[in-house]
Amino acid sequence: MSKKCGKSAEFALVREERSQLVVGYGKTKVDGKSLYEWYEVGFNTKKSGKPTLDQVKQAIFDDINSRTDEKILSGFVWNNKPVWLSAESQTNFSAAEYTASTKNGLGLPVTFKLGEQDGTPVYHEFTTVEELSGFYLQAQAYIKQCLCDGWQEKDNIDWEPYEEYFNK
């Protein structure tokens, strides 16, 4: 699974390369240029034979899910600080926000390692309920938007051309 960039003519929904079948999807125009970006997933046909349409769909969905997870994990920036949104970090942020907001600031101040920038840890001390709640709500909105973007990407795939190829 990889991201490609090139001219429109370089994109192919399906192409055969040696003992591999490569399936392209998600072709979009790069702003202000005559280039396009797309993603590709590959199947080893020598080992497993030609994939079914269901296998292709699953591979594409898995790729979208993986990119969505990566975007959630490492794409959030708060106050110009990168924030690592691992499941553990999300749980810690949630617990701290819940405790502080329901117990009148109990547990504050609290310091979190948000992430790293150029190999250097980035920490932040939250001193008020408002600041911690604002941070937490922004992180949750970011996660929700990432998930919605992934769902929309899946919903926007036109499967008809793939059906024509794989149901021959």
Side-chain angles (χ1 to χ4, degrees):
M1 288 149 223
S2 62
K3 185 174 187 177
K4 300 289 183 177
C5 184
K7 296 183 179 186
S8 183
E10 297 174 54
F11 173 79
L13 279 175
V14 181
R15 71 177 189 278
E16 296 180 32
E17 291 181 351
R18 298 182 203 124
S19 60
Q20 193 174 41
L21 188 73
V22 179
V23 178
Y25 75 96
K27 179 181 163 188
T28 57
K29 188 165 179 48
V30 177
D31 290 337
K33 299 185 179 181
S34 60
L35 296 175
Y36 290 81
E37 292 179 332
W38 63 89
Y39 298 95
E40 294 181 343
V41 294
F43 298 87
N44 185 334
T45 54
K46 186 174 185 179
K47 186 173 157 183
S48 306
K50 180 180 169 185
T52 65
L53 180 58
D54 285 341
Q55 290 171 318
V56 169
K57 287 181 179 182
Q58 189 60 55
I60 290 173
F61 287 162
D62 288 349
D63 189 44
I64 293 169
N65 290 342
S66 177
R67 288 187 292 104
T68 299
D69 290 345
E70 182 60 32
K71 185 177 174 185
I72 290 169
L73 192 61
S74 61
F76 181 54
V77 176
W78 177 78
N79 286 355
N80 296 317
K81 297 175 182 177
V83 180
W84 188 253
L85 289 175
S86 66
E88 181 180 3
S89 293
Q90 291 179 48
T91 300
N92 292 340
F93 298 149
S94 176
E97 193 278 334
Y98 176 79
T99 301
S101 64
T102 60
K103 308 285 187 200
N104 295 323
L106 183 68
L108 293 177
V110 62
T111 300
F112 285 111
K113 177 182 175 187
L114 299 180
E116 291 187 3
Q117 197 163 30
D118 300 323
T120 303
V122 175
Y123 297 94
H124 186 82
E125 180 180 60
F126 293 92
T127 57
T128 67
V129 173
E130 294 77 23
E131 181 186 35
L132 181 57
S133 292
F135 164 78
Y136 180 72
L137 290 174
Q138 286 179 34
Q140 291 303 303
Y142 175 78
I143 292 166
K144 181 180 177 183
Q145 186 61 55
C146 290
L147 293 172
C148 288
D149 292 348
W151 296 332
Q152 184 176 18
E153 185 177 357
K154 291 176 189 177
D155 291 344
N156 286 340
I157 296 173
D158 177 7
W159 293 109
E160 190 174 323
Y162 300 97
E163 290 167 357
E164 291 174 15
Y165 181 88
F166 288 96
N167 293 332
K168 288 182 192 176

